[in-house]
Amino acid sequence: MAGTVPVAVLTAAVLHAVWNGLAHRIPDKTVGFTLINLTYTACALVLVVLNPLPAAAAWPYLLASVVVEVASMLLLLRAYQLGDFGQMYPIARGTAPLLVALISATVLGRHPGAGGLVGVVVICCGLIGLAFARGLPGRAQLPALGAAAGTGVMIAGYTVLDGVGVRHAGTVGGYVAWLFLLQGPVLALIVRVRRGRSLLAGAGRAVPLGIAGGVLSLTAYALVVWAQSRGDLATVAALRETSIVIAALIATVVFRERLGRLRLVAALTVVSGVAVLELARP
């Protein structure tokens, strides 16, 4: 890959971990995620005007990705409402490449080879370490773990959809703009119906955090999609998961979560497994 592609992906990894940290920091997670979504919807409106329309061949992938990304956002919101940032984030991020590898082997008949199998085993060990870092999870913890794992399933889905879709679009900017414009308002509408009142009532100090999170979220994913259009998808995916380490640092320094040696080792294990898995692909 050209030197600019790894730099773009690593920058996206940092931004992704930071915007997730901002979302988790807002006490009312629903308000926080709504602010983030509304912010990148406003940004996307500008980008739609400035960029050409994606080619017709890209729209099936783009529309499917919108549905999957909305589901991912709802599951991530639930995970952050129920669990610690330092545990939920790496489970969500680490589950995705594991599932992609398993689907490739069982459904598509693309076996990962010896290196790929090593990567799968390493990821599994890391995820088990994260899930059981504080002992066997009780019944009260299962919804949080399920939401985080479900987020990983959705991430795997939209990663594949966007990786293919952007290569049919003929425009990275146009693809990203329409992707965020279509998905952005959905969460706000869902929350409006459920709460039956102003989404921003009592938002107060959450507003600047939400706006910053929205800008960072859009920027981070735009960088990833741009990298996917120019670089090797496997390597891009592997570099992207370095955000797990950054998130572990945020959890410890910002949220004062007790990371502990086991969680730290488990998070690093997931990153190592992802790297082995992605780089072992043909």
Side-chain angles (χ1 to χ4, degrees), residues 58-69 161-162 175 178-179 182:
W59 280 94
Y61 300 98
L62 193 153
L63 294 175
S65 180
V66 167
V67 174
V68 176
E69 292 206 31
L161 289 168
D162 291 337
Y175 187 93
W178 280 100
L179 181 66
L182 293 176

Side-chain angles (χ1 to χ4, degrees), residues 35-277:
L35 285 167
I36 288 170
N37 278 253
L38 291 177
T39 297
Y40 63 58
T41 300
C43 294
L45 276 171
V46 177
L47 293 175
V48 162
V49 175
L50 298 177
N51 288 276
L53 193 70
W59 280 94
Y61 300 98
L62 193 153
L63 294 175
S65 180
V66 167
V67 174
V68 176
E69 292 206 31
V70 169
S72 173
M73 187 67 70
L74 292 171
L75 286 166
L76 185 62
L77 167 60
R78 190 59 178 159
Y80 285 169
Q81 287 174 329
L82 297 174
D84 290 341
F85 179 70
Q87 184 180 36
M88 297 298 101
Y89 187 90
I91 289 177
R93 295 303 314 175
T95 302
L98 173 61
L99 290 174
V100 170
L102 293 176
I103 291 171
S104 296
T106 58
V107 178
L108 303 179
R110 300 176 182 175
H111 298 286
L117 289 175
V118 171
V120 169
V121 172
V122 173
I123 292 174
C124 287
C125 291
L127 292 176
I128 291 171
L130 286 167
F132 300 104
R134 295 182 179 174
L136 291 174
R139 183 174 297 179
Q141 293 177 286
L142 294 180
L145 295 174
T151 302
V153 174
M154 297 300 109
I155 291 173
Y158 72 66
T159 296
V160 173
L161 289 168
D162 291 337
V164 177
V166 72
R167 293 180 181 237
H168 288 84
T171 165
V172 175
Y175 187 93
V176 172
W178 280 100
L179 181 66
F180 277 82
L181 180 63
L182 293 176
Q183 66 162 299
V186 177
L187 178 61
L189 292 173
I190 292 173
V191 175
R192 174 67 180 180
V193 171
R194 287 182 176 179
R195 291 198 170 190
R197 60 180 176 84
S198 174
L199 300 174
L200 305 182
R205 297 178 182 177
V207 174
L209 293 177
I211 292 174
V215 173
L216 293 178
S217 174
L218 176 59
T219 305
Y221 202 61
L223 287 171
V224 168
V225 173
W226 176 84
Q228 288 176 326
S229 71
R230 286 166 170 76
D232 175 66
L233 295 180
T235 308
V236 168
L239 287 173
R240 190 179 175 195
E241 301 311 323
T242 55
S243 63
I244 292 175
V245 177
I246 300 163
L249 295 175
I250 292 174
T252 304
V253 176
V254 178
F255 298 122
R256 305 296 182 185
E257 294 179 5
R258 186 175 176 274
L259 186 61
R261 291 183 180 178
L262 182 55
R263 272 198 189 180
L264 178 59
V265 171
L268 292 173
T269 300
V270 171
V271 174
S272 301
V274 168
V276 172
L277 177 63

